[in-house]
Amino acid sequence: LLKDGAKAIIDAVFGAREHRPDGIVSLADIMDEACKPIEQGVSWPWDRLTELTHGRRPGELYAVGAGTGVGKTDVFSECINHDVSMGIPTAVFAFEATPAESARRIAGKHASRTFHIPDSGWQPEELVESLNALQSSAPLFLYDSWGSTDWDRVESTIEYLVAAENVQHVYIDHLTAFASGDARN
């Protein structure tokens, strides 16, 4: 009253608005959005998984959890190859592998070969051919962490790749090494 006068008190009483914490919406608020048809997302490398999930849509996050040596990196490599082969700009943050090793694994999925395993029956020109085919399909960015798992650096790099390079899918392999800071040396 002393600071703003009687009008401020009258405005506060008669102009009071209902308090509603952020994030609460009613059905009426979201009715139009809720009634929109569900969009089919980008396919997975596996038809059945695409059918079950209706594909992958922007803003969704998928986390793959399994024991050591079960094949998480193989699953990611298959998905990355699939995305790049479909022309989707993709980024890979592999904290337990060098970019070159990650590239060999992804190229191996492309050619159905094990380029990351020495003396496994492939020829060097097959690797070059597969890498060239991937490179001509869509941009593939591989992050060299130098063993660092600093989230601020990774986050700013992801933001750059999305904004400047139009990256649509980002893969982080693997979260445990990233979260614990126990990446390759």
Side-chain angles (χ1 to χ4, degrees), residues 37-44 50 52-62 168-169:
I38 304 296
E39 292 182 30
Q40 182 71 17
V42 173
S43 67
W44 292 91
T50 301
L52 291 170
T53 62
H54 305 289
R56 299 171 284 161
R57 292 171 291 277
E60 292 181 340
L61 170 73
Y62 294 92
Q168 296 173 27
H169 290 177

Side-chain angles (χ1 to χ4, degrees), residues 113-146:
R113 306 294 261 161
T114 52
F115 294 137
H116 65 288
I117 298 175
D119 302 322
S120 61
W122 54 271
Q123 299 300 315
E125 54 273 5
E126 292 177 283
L127 172 60
V128 171
E129 183 180 314
S130 183
L131 288 168
N132 284 333
L134 285 169
Q135 188 172 17
S136 67
S137 297
L140 175 60
F141 299 94
L142 302 156
Y143 181 70
D144 193 341
S145 68
W146 299 289

